[in-house]
């Protein structure tokens, strides 16, 4: 097990500087344009693929970094560049991790390369869990997958919503109910291969922020996929369902809300994205406060402004520490006995919202216009307290973990 450290090693520093260079030279200059266009920034993804940032190799290298700092460091730098574009670059990773975590070796080898494509023909992937009536309450999911034993095929019907890259993905990973009696324990994940009949994009959403990231409904109308598309395979699913049924018979924790716990280990990554956005806005505000003069002196010469910047930086550093701790714990298999993953996401996302609002205030009229990037960063930051579990759900997870009680 790697010791927890707050110091990046030389190799990590090199990767961080390389990513920072890409974020500063390629992502940040493109941010305003793609925010206005509200379209997937394919040329930027392609550029990231060319240099090796948009690839499974790069993602896996960071994901398996034993210090746990690889992913948060990478997320922070890319999202420092721009949240919408960075999400377009890392969104595929969310689906890839679903396959890495639950898939067989064959599934990993077959599907993950198709999620990324290559630099001459880049592809993206989507992870589809949320539904119109099942956001925080994942257990009320309605999309059904029924096994057709004669053909060894699964038939999937339902509507997914708010899916990042939904409908434009080459490969979709879809979560569906296979046993409705078991609540979220009766869910399974399926690969929907490219060009599968019955899968279509529904509404594409116009959003408040992260507008360069594509978010849409995904309609599944009698989608048929081979048995080999069930992540982990049928045998493993049957064993898992049998265990869950047994537990239910014994009156155990039958229906546990999946959103409460499933994403605990992936939440620090979202916290790191939030730290990136917060740091970006703080840096703009600091520079501005030092150069903008009113009443014959820089505005930072007023404690009212300087103390805000002091608080902003303190919160950002505190958020990063929580994120790094949780990432280190996740990678090293330390149990989250105080829901440390949720803590990191809760604190970092609330910090990003607050810090970006303070940045707008420090820039005054300029902060409110699209001439300066803090206006966009402020809109972008609002997503962090919503996706991968809202702040309220993080608090529920933390409170339940601490108390051992079913707080509602
Ligand atoms: C831009 C974007 C991208 C997304 N990408 C994906 C994706 O790729 N894949 C995917 O599957 N999903 C994705 N989502 C969906 C996202 O995860 C959900 O929006 C989120 O989980 C919240 O669900 P909801 O929107 O249904 O809100 P609701 O669950 O309806 O919540 C509404 C409000 O009620 C509060 N609330 C709900 N229950 C409780 C409770 N028990 N106690 C206290 N407060 C409560 C919430 O905190 C929130 O403030 C994305 C969403 C957005 C906006």
């Amino acid at each position: 097990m790697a010791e927890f450290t707050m110091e990046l090693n030389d190799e990590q520093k090199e990767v961080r500087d390389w990513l920072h260079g890409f974020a500063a030279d390629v992502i940040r200059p493109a941010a305003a344009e793609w925010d206005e266009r509200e379209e997937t920034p394919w040329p930027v993804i392609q550029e990231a693929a060319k240099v090796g940032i948009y690839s499974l190799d790069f993602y896996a290298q960071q994901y398996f970094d034993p210090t746990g700092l690889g992913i948060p460091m990478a997320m922070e730098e890319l999202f420092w560049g721009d949240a919408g574009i960075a999400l377009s670059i890392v969104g595929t990773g969310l689906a890839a991790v679903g396959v890495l975590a639950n898939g067989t070796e064959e599934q990993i080898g077959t599907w993950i390369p198709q999620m990324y494509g290559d630099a001459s023909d880049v592809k993206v992937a989507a992870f589809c869990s949320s539904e119109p009536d099942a956001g925080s309450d994942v257990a009320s999911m309605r999309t059904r997958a029924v096994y057709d034993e004669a053909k060894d095929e699964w038939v999937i019907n339902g509507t997914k919503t708010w899916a990042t890259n939904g409908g434009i993905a080459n490969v979709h990973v879809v979560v569906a109910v296979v046993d409705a009696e078991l609540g979220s324990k009766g869910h399974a994940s399926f690969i929907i291969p490219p060009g599968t009949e019955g899968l279509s994009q529904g509404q594409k959403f116009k959003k408040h922020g992260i507008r360069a990231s594509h978010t849409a409904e995904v309609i599944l109308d009698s989608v048929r996929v081979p048995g080999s598309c069930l992540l982990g395979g049928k045998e493993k699913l049957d064993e898992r369902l049998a265990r869950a049924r047994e537990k239910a018979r014994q009156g155990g924790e039958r229906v546990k809300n999946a959103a409460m716990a499933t994403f605990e280990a992936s939440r620090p990554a979202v916290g790191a994205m939030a730290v990136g956005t917060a740091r970006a806005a703080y840096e703009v505000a600091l520079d501005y406060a030092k150069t903008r003069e009113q009443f014959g002196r820089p505005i930072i010469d007023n404690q009212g402004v300087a103390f805000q910047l002091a608080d902003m930086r303190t919160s950002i550093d505190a958020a990063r520490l929580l994120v790094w701790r949780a990432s280190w714990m996740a990678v090293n298999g330390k149990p989250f006995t105080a829901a440390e993953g949720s803590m990191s996401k809760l604190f970092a996302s609330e910090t990003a919202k607050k810090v970006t609002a303070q940045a707008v205030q420090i820039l005054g009229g300029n902060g409110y216009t699209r001439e300066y990037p803090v206006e966009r960063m402020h809109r972008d930051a609002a997503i962090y307290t919503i996706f991968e579990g809202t702040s309220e759900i993080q608090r529920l997870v933390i409170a339940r973990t601490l108390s051992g009680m079913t707080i509602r």
Side-chain angles (χ1 to χ4, degrees):
M1 188 181 74
E3 286 296 311
F4 178 64
T5 171
M6 294 185 294
E7 185 75 50
L8 298 178
N9 61 36
D10 289 346
E11 201 181 316
Q12 287 168 329
K13 280 182 189 154
E14 213 172 284
V15 176
R16 179 199 58 194
D17 294 347
W18 172 58
L19 289 172
H20 188 76
F22 186 82
D25 299 341
V26 182
I27 298 181
R28 185 71 71 85
E33 178 192 344
W34 293 99
D35 174 59
E36 288 298 336
R37 287 173 67 162
E38 299 193 49
E39 286 169 12
T40 301
W42 290 106
V44 186
I45 303 176
Q46 191 163 20
E47 205 53 42
K50 271 191 204 149
V51 299
I53 291 172
Y54 186 70
S55 73
L56 172 66
D57 278 358
F58 173 73
Y59 206 77
Q61 218 173 337
Q62 304 315 316
Y63 186 75
F64 291 113
D65 172 359
T67 68
L69 304 187
I71 287 284
M73 173 269 289
M75 295 294 172
E76 180 176 335
E77 292 312 323
L78 295 173
F79 282 73
W80 173 90
D82 177 63
I85 293 178
L87 189 61
S88 288
I89 293 173
V90 308
T92 295
L94 304 177
V97 165
V99 177
L100 272 179
N102 301 310
T104 61
E105 264 178 41
E106 201 184 334
Q107 288 169 329
I108 292 169
T110 305
W111 299 113
I112 296 189
Q114 297 191 49
M115 292 181 165
Y116 285 91
D118 56 52
S120 60
D121 184 19
V122 285
K123 306 284 188 204
V124 293
F127 177 77
C128 312
S129 170
S130 303
E131 297 182 0
D133 293 323
S136 304
D137 184 11
V138 178
S140 63
M141 183 180 290
R142 292 205 194 126
T143 296
R144 286 301 301 255
V146 177
Y147 189 53
D148 178 346
E149 201 160 358
K151 292 186 174 160
D152 183 28
E153 285 179 349
W154 288 89
V155 187
I156 307 173
N157 278 290
T159 299
K160 295 294 177 183
T161 194
W162 306 306
T164 300
N165 297 335
I168 61 166
N170 200 35
V171 177
H172 291 76
V173 175
V174 167
V175 186
V177 177
V178 290
D179 184 334
E181 292 295 305
L182 295 172
S184 61
K185 297 244 187 281
H187 294 175
S189 297
F190 298 86
I191 293 281
I192 315 293
T196 301
E197 238 177 79
L199 183 148
S200 60
Q201 182 184 302
Q203 182 186 359
K204 178 189 167 185
F205 296 103
K206 289 180 85 68
K207 304 196 297 295
H208 177 61
I210 55 163
R211 301 196 304 182
S213 169
H214 172 103
T215 315
E217 285 179 326
V218 173
I219 318 287
L220 300 135
D221 182 9
S222 299
V223 167
R224 280 187 167 266
V225 294
S228 58
C229 285
L230 166 67
L231 281 182
K234 183 89 167 43
E235 203 175 311
K236 212 166 142 198
L237 173 70
D238 288 342
E239 282 168 20
R240 182 163 64 78
L241 293 178
R243 274 198 308 275
R245 285 184 196 117
E246 186 52 34
K247 235 183 187 169
R249 256 194 299 277
Q250 292 166 1
E253 20 161 15
R254 198 175 70 103
V255 179
K256 204 173 169 190
N257 190 331
M260 305 286 171
T262 313
F263 298 113
E264 188 65 14
S266 67
R267 283 176 175 155
V270 181
M273 299 173 188
V275 171
T277 300
R279 191 183 109 212
Y282 155 77
E283 286 175 4
V284 174
L286 178 64
D287 277 354
Y288 191 87
K290 282 158 74 176
T291 51
R292 169 75 172 168
E293 293 197 1
Q294 287 294 279
F295 303 102
R297 56 199 163 96
I299 56 169
I300 199 170
D301 212 3
N302 302 289
Q303 283 190 357
V305 175
F307 284 9
Q308 276 198 73
L309 285 156
D311 285 347
M312 288 157 78
R313 177 60 194 264
T314 304
S315 305
I316 292 166
D317 281 15
R320 186 184 299 106
L321 281 176
L322 285 175
V323 165
W324 283 17
R325 175 181 74 165
S327 291
W328 169 76
M329 291 176 75
V331 166
N332 289 286
K334 288 243 171 211
F336 284 129
T337 51
E340 289 88 343
S342 289
M343 269 188 206
S344 72
K345 199 255 178 189
L346 170 64
F347 190 78
S349 59
E350 293 291 343
T351 293
K353 254 174 96 165
K354 188 165 175 206
V355 164
T356 53
Q358 287 171 305
V360 168
Q361 189 66 20
I362 289 171
L363 268 72
N366 281 328
Y368 200 67
T369 71
R370 293 194 184 175
E371 299 301 309
Y372 284 79
V374 292
E375 179 271 345
R376 184 181 66 253
M377 293 165 183
H378 181 44
R379 284 186 285 110
D380 292 344
I383 191 57
Y384 300 124
T385 60
I386 296 173
F387 68 6
E388 288 264 332
T390 64
S391 284
E392 291 73 24
I393 295 302
Q394 309 304 330
R395 290 188 178 98
L396 257 189
V397 173
I398 297 165
R400 285 178 174 183
T401 308
L402 297 179
S403 66
M405 292 168 70
T406 314
I407 292 159
R408 290 155 58 84

